[in-house]
Amino acid sequence: MSEETSNRQETPEQLSDILLVLDKEKMKIQAVKSIDKNGKMETVDPTKKNQSEFMRVDKSGDLFSNFFSNFWRQLKNPTQFSFFKVPAGEAVDKAKEFQKQVETSTPEGEKEMKKHEVKAEQQKEQKQENKKDMATTQTTPDTGEYRFKPEHIDWETMNNLGLGKERLEKLNLLEPLLKGYKTNELVPVSVNLGGAIVRTDARLSLQPNEDGTVVAAIHGIRKEPNLNFEFFGHKFTDEDKKNILDTGNMGRVVDLKNYKTGEMMPSIISVDRLTNELIALKTDFIKIPDEIKGVKLDDVQKQTLMEGKP
């Protein structure tokens, strides 16, 4: 080996990888640029022109595992995305290849994408010492950070709905469900009614039963939001109905009643864009920033945003 060869240092491209991301709603491959303190990810088109803006991650296994676990925890709606780690020098070509696969799927293309795909669960699995078990066991993350525990779920009923644990894990839906979130996409559900089987698409969430078990709540698709009946004690006015149908938000804060506790909760009401189901959000959970894109908001503007007005 020559002295020149032995002293040669690896370039940044050789030492680092690039994170590509598939937005499952837009069905588009992008390169990750950054993630802000609020968990919003910024991306750029994966072109040679934008290469200097690509987020670079260390190739080292342990360093990347720690980085991606932290990245995943910060990210809002992580299940909306699939991530792929590719060598920096191949990022542009791989992005084109993956986009082609998204648009026209082939078995070979699917295999290549799976080869580069990274998941938060995988990073935890890589740290397990028992390599034999690692190959056959799906790692369940620390349940301390979740609202529900997998062992409390009524899996018999879930299996009857076609929503077994393995399927939810494969779809990357189990973790957000355990955290108490709705799925951010529609999921095919089959309901056996004895003499008939009903198949529908729905968003899912988990909710506790009085006996301590946890069951699935199925949020099916509605033709339109039901505004003719009271919603947690609120009766919709004609103006409320018009605002909801026109904009998806009611445009004002109202007191909703928690029938279990009797508590009155100042909330805003809007429509789930995937199912047309009415949803409510307590104003306590809404945080309005002091400024947006360098523009300082006054009290009137903050109140407008708080009430969901356009």
Side-chain angles (χ1 to χ4, degrees):
M1 181 181 294
S2 69
E3 182 177 350
E4 178 185 358
T5 303
S6 62
N7 290 334
R8 184 183 300 156
Q9 293 184 338
E10 291 181 290
T11 65
E13 285 74 17
Q14 293 171 311
L15 289 169
S16 60
D17 284 330
I18 300 297
L19 268 185
L20 298 178
V21 57
L22 168 63
D23 186 322
K24 296 176 185 177
E25 289 187 355
K26 299 178 181 178
M27 297 304 288
K28 187 176 182 181
I29 295 287
Q30 295 272 273
V32 176
K33 180 180 178 181
S34 64
I35 184 170
D36 67 21
K37 63 181 180 180
N38 296 317
K40 185 176 180 181
M41 181 172 57
E42 186 175 1
T43 61
V44 294
D45 290 331
T47 61
K48 289 184 178 180
K49 177 183 176 182
N50 294 330
Q51 277 182 315
S52 62
E53 297 184 75
F54 295 175
M55 175 188 284
R56 295 180 181 273
V57 294
D58 199 293
K59 278 190 173 184
S60 170
D62 287 340
L63 287 175
F64 179 75
S65 295
N66 293 333
F67 160 79
F68 192 72
S69 294
N70 291 332
F71 180 90
W72 185 268
R73 282 195 295 270
Q74 293 177 59
L75 190 64
K76 277 189 175 180
N77 301 323
T79 56
Q80 180 182 335
F81 308 101
S82 292
F83 293 91
F84 308 90
K85 183 164 70 86
V86 300
E90 302 174 17
V92 174
D93 290 336
K94 284 294 181 186
K96 292 178 181 177
E97 181 182 331
F98 291 171
Q99 185 62 52
K100 185 177 180 181
Q101 167 64 15
V102 170
E103 295 169 358
T104 309
S105 180
T106 65
E108 296 78 11
E110 182 179 1
K111 184 177 180 180
E112 183 66 17
M113 289 186 76
K114 285 187 178 296
K115 174 183 171 184
H116 292 278
E117 187 174 8
V118 288
K119 300 178 182 178
E121 291 87 351
Q122 288 177 345
Q123 306 311 315
K124 294 180 181 180
E125 287 178 346
Q126 288 171 2
K127 294 182 180 180
Q128 292 181 359
E129 293 181 359
N130 191 331
K131 303 297 182 182
K132 182 177 180 181
D133 289 345
M134 183 186 71
T136 58
T137 304
Q138 172 74 27
T139 299
T140 300
D142 180 7
T143 55
E145 59 184 284
Y146 297 108
R147 180 180 176 187
F148 303 108
K149 294 183 178 180
E151 59 267 28
H152 292 165
I153 295 175
D154 181 356
W155 288 113
E156 181 178 353
T157 300
M158 295 288 279
N159 285 325
N160 290 337
L161 295 172
L163 301 171
K165 185 178 180 182
E166 288 186 3
R167 184 182 178 213
L168 293 176
E169 288 174 334
K170 186 176 181 180
L171 295 172
N172 293 324
L173 297 178
L174 182 58
E175 185 170 354
L177 285 172
L178 293 176
K179 288 183 176 181
Y181 300 133
K182 279 185 188 178
T183 58
N184 66 349
E185 59 189 66
L186 296 173
V187 181
V189 177
S190 298
V191 181
N192 192 332
L193 300 177
I197 296 178
V198 178
R199 293 184 174 88
T200 186
D201 290 337
R203 293 182 74 178
L204 306 174
S205 64
L206 297 177
Q207 62 182 27
N209 268 340
E210 292 183 359
D211 62 3
T213 59
V214 177
V215 296
I218 300 174
H219 308 272
I221 300 174
R222 295 160 170 76
K223 183 178 180 181
E224 59 184 20
N226 189 347
L227 304 174
N228 296 321
F229 294 91
E230 289 189 359
F231 182 73
F232 291 98
H234 174 71
K235 186 175 182 179
F236 295 101
T237 66
D238 290 340
E239 184 178 358
D240 290 341
K241 295 177 182 179
K242 184 178 186 304
N243 287 339
I244 288 175
L245 294 175
D246 288 348
T247 69
N249 295 301
M250 197 169 74
R252 66 190 180 102
V253 175
V254 293
D255 287 330
L256 300 182
K257 185 175 182 178
N258 183 328
Y259 286 107
K260 287 186 177 180
T261 65
E263 176 191 5
M264 299 303 292
M265 306 173 295
S267 308
I268 60 172
I269 300 173
S270 59
V271 176
D272 186 315
R273 61 183 178 80
L274 293 179
T275 64
N276 279 329
E277 179 183 28
L278 291 173
I279 52 178
L281 180 64
K282 292 174 65 175
T283 54
D284 291 347
F285 297 152
I286 303 174
K287 304 299 180 185
I288 304 297
D290 291 329
E291 63 178 56
I292 297 178
K293 294 184 177 180
V295 179
K296 194 167 184 178
L297 303 179
D298 59 29
D299 291 340
V300 175
Q301 291 170 320
K302 288 183 180 180
Q303 187 64 29
T304 298
L305 291 173
M306 175 72 75
E307 294 176 353
K309 292 179 179 178

